[in-house]
Amino acid sequence: MMGIIRMIIVGFIVGVLARFFYPGQIPLSFLWTVILGIAGSFLAGLIGMAIHPAQRAAGLHPGGWIASILGSMLLIFIVIHFHLFGA
């Protein structure tokens, strides 16, 4: 249970920071901000595993704070520029 609460809190912080650093207004609800942060963290982890093959043996893991924020910003970019979800 504590792991889920921690994931929601970290996802929210990462999502808020990604929205803050991304240029322009990104209107998202609390839930979508949390999802953005969690998804950005796992995207950063996947990119990290692709770049550093030794990490593949460790399995799926989230990226670090900065990588997670950058991963979330990449997701915002993809959604906005490819017009996904009506954004």
Side-chain angles (χ1 to χ4, degrees):
M1 184 68 176
M2 289 302 293
I4 294 171
I5 294 171
R6 186 178 310 129
M7 185 172 26
I8 291 170
I9 292 170
V10 170
F12 179 71
I13 293 169
V14 168
V16 166
L17 289 172
R19 289 175 51 200
F20 176 76
F21 289 120
Y22 194 86
Q25 184 179 13
I26 310 298
L28 293 174
S29 67
F30 172 79
L31 178 63
W32 280 110
T33 300
V34 170
I35 291 170
L36 171 68
I38 292 170
S41 181
F42 280 106
L43 177 63
L46 289 172
I47 292 171
M49 285 191 312
I51 293 171
H52 195 269
Q55 294 293 329
R56 291 184 188 152
L60 186 62
H61 62 86
W65 283 95
I66 294 173
S68 296
I69 293 167
L70 292 174
S72 295
M73 290 173 69
L74 177 62
L75 288 175
I76 292 171
F77 175 82
I78 290 169
V79 168
I80 289 175
H81 292 301
F82 292 103
H83 304 288
L84 301 174
F85 305 113

